[in-house]
């Protein structure tokens, strides 16, 4: 499956690389689970942000 021109594997690799560069080990460790939960619940990436 592709997402905005990236395959899921390429997107996950990009997130992993960014988390390493930004020193965000918690997000890096939880990303796959969070992404799968969001996909299962059909939650948009901004779906859990509080509204202003």
């Amino acid at each position: 499956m592709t997402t905005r021109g990236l395959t899921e594997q390429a997107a996950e690799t990009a997130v992993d690389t960014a988390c390493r560069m930004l020193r965000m080990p918690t997000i890096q460790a939880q990303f796959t689970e969070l992404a799968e939960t969001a996909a299962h619940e059909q939650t948009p990436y901004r779906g859990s942000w509080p509204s202003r």
Side-chain angles (χ1 to χ4, degrees), residues 12-13 36 42 47:
E12 288 184 21
T13 300
E36 288 174 2
Q42 297 181 343

Side-chain angles (χ1 to χ4, degrees), residues 36-50:
E36 288 174 2
T37 299
H40 178 72
E41 295 176 358
Q42 297 181 343
T43 304
Y45 72 99
R46 293 184 185 195
S48 60
W49 290 5

Side-chain angles (χ1 to χ4, degrees), residues 13-25 28:
T13 300
V15 170
D16 185 70
T17 300
C19 286
R20 288 176 192 272
M21 290 174 59
L22 296 170
R23 297 181 182 172
M24 299 172 69
Q28 181 182 9

